[in-house]
Amino acid sequence: MDERLRNQVEKERRDLTILRAVIAEGPIGIVKLSDRTDVPEHKVRYSLRMLENDEFIEPTPEGAVPADDIGERLAQVNEGIDDLIGRLERVRDDDVEMP
């Protein structure tokens, strides 16, 4: 179970790395994102697709750009992360009966 969680957290970390680069340098394309972040192009492409689906970025002919309301969206993400940390701490602290 913890391996799945680790993999998911790593994917989310990668998406945030890509998003930070888009915010800092957008419009920016896949090759430049890969160079700037040291993330392989196929993973950049996947992260961009996920970020677009979640409406954090928008594609343009020149490359990805952040959504107009990116500040509000990032504030919501931070609130969600705080909530998730609390939920994970409760899961960790729950007593599990051992057979």
Side-chain angles (χ1 to χ4, degrees), residues 4 6 12 14 17 19 22 36 41 49 59 70 85-86:
R4 284 191 321 238
R6 287 178 210 269
E12 298 300 334
R14 185 181 68 233
T17 297
L19 180 58
V22 170
R36 298 280 197 283
E41 288 182 28
R49 188 173 338 122
I70 194 63
I85 289 168

Side-chain angles (χ1 to χ4, degrees), residues 44-78:
V44 169
R45 191 173 288 110
Y46 179 81
S47 289
L48 287 173
R49 188 173 338 122
M50 295 299 101
L51 291 166
E52 183 181 350
N53 287 344
D54 291 339
E55 299 180 344
F56 284 99
I57 66 166
E58 298 174 6
T60 71
E62 295 80 29
V65 296
D68 290 336
D69 62 347
I70 194 63
E72 295 170 30
R73 290 182 176 280
L74 290 176
Q76 290 173 344
V77 167
N78 288 334

Side-chain angles (χ1 to χ4, degrees), residues 75-92:
Q76 290 173 344
V77 167
N78 288 334
E79 288 175 17
I81 289 171
D82 290 341
D83 179 61
L84 182 57
I85 289 168
R87 291 171 59 194
L88 288 169
E89 287 172 343
R90 287 191 297 277
V91 167
R92 180 197 61 212

Side-chain angles (χ1 to χ4, degrees), residues 1-6 91:
M1 178 191 283
D2 66 321
E3 186 64 26
R4 284 191 321 238
L5 183 56
R6 287 178 210 269
V91 167

